[in-house]
């Protein structure tokens, strides 16, 4: 069985607070340590997929984490 902290992290909860899975472009920029314009360039270049709802654009935290992992140099 998974530890309770692992289950909380998997469910999007950590420390009793709900962690959003979808970020706005601004929040994604903060998460990645980039500017809003920098994240918009990554989106336009097809390097970051988006989730669109109505006229709003979101980025999935899992995609941001995968982008980070792909950029790591061994």
């Amino acid at each position: 069985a998974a530890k309770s902290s692992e289950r909380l992290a998997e469910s999007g909860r950590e420390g009793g607070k709900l962690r959003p899975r979808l970020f706005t472009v601004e929040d994604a920029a903060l998460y990645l340590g980039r500017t809003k314009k920098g994240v918009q360039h990554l989106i336009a270049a097809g390097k970051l997929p988006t989730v669109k709802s109505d006229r709003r654009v979101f980025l999935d935290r899992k995609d941001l984490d995968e982008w980070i992992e792909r950029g790591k140099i061994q």
Side-chain angles (χ1 to χ4, degrees):
K3 294 179 187 175
S4 63
S5 60
E6 290 172 0
R7 283 195 305 271
L8 286 173
E10 289 169 6
S11 71
R13 287 184 180 272
E14 199 168 276
K17 292 186 178 183
L18 183 64
R19 293 186 314 159
R21 177 164 170 187
L22 296 179
F23 290 138
T24 62
V25 173
E26 293 85 358
D27 290 341
L30 284 171
Y31 186 76
L32 294 175
R34 307 279 302 246
T35 63
K36 178 181 173 183
K37 195 170 204 169
V39 172
Q40 290 170 330
H41 283 240
L42 291 170
I43 293 167
K47 295 181 179 181
L48 285 175
T50 60
V51 177
K52 294 184 181 178
S53 176
D54 299 321
R55 303 179 102 186
R56 298 180 63 185
V57 175
F58 298 96
L59 294 102
D60 188 325
R61 181 173 25 92
K62 291 181 180 184
D63 293 328
L64 300 177
D65 290 340
E66 288 173 14
W67 180 80
I68 293 168
E69 291 301 319
R70 286 193 307 268
K72 286 185 179 179
I73 298 172
Q74 296 294 326

